[in-house]
Amino acid sequence: MSPLLVGGAAGIPALVSGDFDITYTNYTSALLAAEKGLPIRLVTGNDVGATDHGMFVAEDSGLEAPADLAGKTVAVNNLQNIGTVAFYEHLEEAGLDPREVDLVEMPYPDMSAALERGEVDAVWQVEPFQAMAEQAGHRKIFDLFSGPVEEMPVAGWVTTQEFAEQNPETVAAFERAITASGEELQDDRERLVELVPSYTQVSAELTEQVEMPVFQGALDPERLQRTADLMQRHGITGDRLEVSDLVAEPVR
């Protein structure tokens, strides 16, 4: 199992090198790794996009919708992230070419201050940074995982082909545990407030303000295939990936 990491992509090299057996990552990082020939296998889901991801602007910016972002500078945490794919879909639905927007990479904790300084025009915030942005007076103009990418799978748990083949019972038990824990925690803010401060530096007071995530333990290969196809269409990957080939075989 992986300890806490800076981001999901950071766990992939350690997973492949054998430091971890299973790690958490956004699906874009997992699919990129698979495209590069790394033996990644999808174990189980974790969450799908909901109101806990938003695009924020300064309160007095006058920006109201994706169409208003033409010619603007927008901060995302990674140019090859699941959020970037979702953002491109919003731009295209608004009739924009994604190349009309200047995307810049920036760590989530730095985005709010950059917005206040006018260095960027909009920022993608996830919880708990979304709650912090709202406290700072920034304004959400749309939920990132809405409209054309509503309920898009965001992140899940992965392993290597070798570990999955050698430890099928462990992989199956892990999948059952993640699914069950997500079902228990869904919409249980009291439990979330109890848990989050125990393994992060996020306070209980701030956890009270965050938008609840939507947990989904079961893998959804059909929706993940759409994610893979969108990654290819937006030039993040080259060849088409078959998601069904990357799912760890369940114990029969």
Side-chain angles (χ1 to χ4, degrees):
M1 294 294 298
S2 77
L4 293 178
L5 295 165
V6 173
I12 298 291
L15 177 73
V16 174
S17 68
D19 292 341
F20 305 149
D21 298 321
I22 299 174
T23 194
Y24 175 74
T25 183
N26 74 81
Y27 287 118
T28 303
S29 295
L31 295 173
L32 276 169
E35 188 203 26
K36 294 175 181 177
L38 298 180
I40 299 298
R41 292 294 178 267
L42 306 174
V43 175
T44 185
N46 192 83
D47 57 293
V48 299
T51 56
D52 53 333
H53 299 255
M55 191 62 65
F56 281 79
V57 299
E59 176 62 35
D60 59 355
S61 69
L63 302 173
E64 300 289 346
D68 298 330
L69 297 176
K72 304 300 183 182
T73 300
V74 177
V76 295
N77 75 320
N78 190 292
L79 296 180
Q80 295 183 318
N81 192 280
I82 192 75
T84 302
V85 174
F87 182 56
Y88 284 163
E89 288 299 293
H90 279 282
L91 294 179
E92 290 192 345
E93 186 180 59
L96 300 180
D97 185 322
R99 291 173 294 184
E100 295 181 62
V101 177
D102 182 21
L103 282 190
V104 296
E105 288 188 343
M106 186 178 296
Y108 287 125
D110 298 341
M111 290 184 185
S112 186
L115 189 61
E116 291 174 359
R117 292 192 298 266
E119 296 173 358
V120 295
D121 300 295
V123 297
W124 166 31
Q125 297 280 245
V126 304
E127 295 294 12
F129 302 106
Q130 177 173 259
M132 295 177 184
E134 290 174 339
Q135 289 180 352
H138 303 319
R139 179 167 50 85
K140 183 195 283 192
I141 57 173
F142 61 93
D143 290 315
L144 188 61
F145 294 103
S146 62
V149 286
E150 186 174 0
E151 297 184 346
M152 188 177 193
V154 174
W157 297 84
V158 301
T159 188
T160 61
Q161 180 179 354
E162 180 181 15
F163 186 84
E165 290 176 348
Q166 294 180 358
N167 303 274
E169 292 84 5
T170 299
V171 170
F174 184 85
E175 188 277 332
R176 291 193 298 270
I178 289 294
T179 299
S181 63
E183 290 174 352
E184 284 186 22
L185 189 55
Q186 190 62 58
D187 299 324
D188 189 345
R189 184 175 296 276
E190 183 177 345
R191 183 62 171 146
L192 191 75
V193 170
E194 177 184 347
L195 287 173
V196 170
S198 72
Y199 65 91
T200 73
Q201 296 181 351
V202 180
S203 68
E205 290 75 16
L206 184 59
T207 308
E208 288 275 9
Q209 303 303 315
V210 303
E211 293 283 350
M212 290 288 290
V214 175
F215 298 104
Q216 180 176 296
L219 286 171
D220 190 334
E222 184 175 337
R223 283 186 174 173
L224 284 174
Q225 185 63 58
R226 181 168 183 269
T227 298
D229 292 344
L230 289 177
M231 289 171 62
Q232 182 188 25
R233 186 159 69 83
H234 292 299
I236 295 175
T237 55
D239 297 333
R240 187 175 192 270
L241 288 169
E242 291 293 341
V243 170
S244 59
D245 294 340
L246 304 177
V247 177
E249 288 296 324
V251 174
R252 301 294 182 184

